[in-house]
Amino acid sequence: MAVVTGASGGIGAATARRLAKDGFDVVAVARRAERLRRLAEETGVRPYVLDVTDGEGVRRFAAELGSCDVLVNNAGGALGADPVAGADVADWEWMYSVNVLGTLRMTQALLPLLRAGRGGTIVTVTSTAAFTAYEGGGGYSAAKHAERALAETLRLELCGEPVRVVEVAPGMVRTEEFALNRMRGDADRAAAVYEGVDHPLTAEDVAECVALAVGLPQHVNVDRLVVRPLAQAAQHKLHRGPLFGD
């Protein structure tokens, strides 16, 4: 069984689809019931409405599961693009709560099930912001740095147990909501993020990376898989213009 959080859209939904295609019994977890229902009708995954920041809800969810072989901590997001000097503290609190504490709650709650099987895998979807800061990204980068630290520490603490800890760190991914949510619904600002970039990553690209790491033999651990579009050589080095012909 595989549990995927943040599965109502973007990378989470694409990962749920990809793991279901690989034969996993997938439990798709997210806050938006209607989107989960449509995903379940499309793919056969099991929907579960849950906010990963709700500690009691997470514990109740874990108690209802009979087993868990794979946990994909994908729920997260960015809010705001203000400089540190003018940032809204509430935005930082939200990003830390969802990206870091949500991952912590899910990991703690499902770890006994992951340990109980013949071998478990925890995949945490972070970001290249987890190791490179950039202007306007202080809150998101801080949250993703913390999420990366969580994964690295957990890997050390589980050494000697058959549970893999994998980090997948995407660069620029174009999904329908990430930039739009970050820019508080400003479609023009969201579109400008990707303007002129030839083939940003898609949610499906990242899902393929998750599936690759999960599908390797249990003795093979991908500590960190960094994936970017070809147009993005680094967090601060982005080519805007054509790369590929027709």
Side-chain angles (χ1 to χ4, degrees):
M1 176 187 291
V3 173
V4 180
T5 68
S8 60
I11 293 171
T15 299
R17 290 189 189 97
R18 186 64 178 80
L19 294 182
K21 180 180 177 182
D22 284 349
F24 281 95
D25 175 15
V26 176
V27 180
V29 173
R31 294 176 293 113
R32 295 177 290 185
E34 179 57 26
R35 282 175 170 253
L36 285 178
R37 183 189 65 78
R38 293 199 299 267
L39 180 66
E41 290 175 351
E42 172 198 342
T43 63
V45 302
R46 289 195 273 159
Y48 196 102
V49 178
L50 174 66
D51 185 337
V52 297
T53 67
D54 174 8
E56 182 55 39
V58 169
R59 287 188 290 273
R60 185 165 54 249
F61 167 69
E64 293 174 11
L65 287 181
S67 65
C68 182
D69 304 297
V70 175
L71 167 61
V72 181
N73 287 310
N74 169 75
L79 194 58
D82 301 313
V84 171
D88 188 335
V89 173
D91 290 348
W92 285 52
E93 289 176 335
W94 181 86
M95 286 184 280
Y96 197 88
S97 178
V98 177
N99 291 280
V100 185
L101 300 184
T103 292
L104 176 62
R105 287 190 175 96
M106 290 297 297
T107 300
Q108 288 179 333
L110 297 189
L111 191 53
L113 296 176
L114 291 157
R115 281 170 155 160
R118 298 182 61 184
T121 302
I122 301 169
V123 179
T124 298
V125 180
T126 62
S127 166
T128 52
F131 47 85
T132 304
Y134 58 97
E135 296 95 327
Y140 183 62
S141 186
K144 288 300 182 182
H145 270 74
E147 197 175 19
R148 171 191 171 192
L150 189 162
E152 289 186 344
T153 304
L154 184 65
R155 188 180 303 116
L156 294 172
E157 293 171 348
L158 293 180
C159 184
E161 300 186 44
V163 179
R164 299 183 293 183
V165 179
V166 177
E167 178 190 354
V168 175
M172 177 178 279
V173 184
R174 184 166 197 166
T175 64
E176 62 184 16
E177 293 184 299
F178 181 84
L180 192 62
N181 289 340
R182 183 172 203 169
M183 302 305 176
R184 307 182 196 283
D186 188 327
D188 291 337
R189 288 186 69 196
V193 172
Y194 310 101
E195 186 175 358
V197 179
D198 195 344
H199 290 79
L201 294 180
T202 66
E204 288 72 24
D205 294 330
V206 181
E208 286 293 331
C209 293
V210 174
L212 169 66
V214 169
L216 291 169
Q218 192 65 27
H219 71 280
V220 180
N221 194 96
V222 177
D223 285 7
R224 180 184 303 125
L225 195 164
V226 178
V227 54
R228 308 180 197 265
L230 182 60
Q232 187 181 35
Q235 197 80 355
H236 60 283
K237 182 69 173 179
L238 179 66
H239 174 75
R240 295 185 188 270
L243 280 175
F244 305 99
D246 295 336

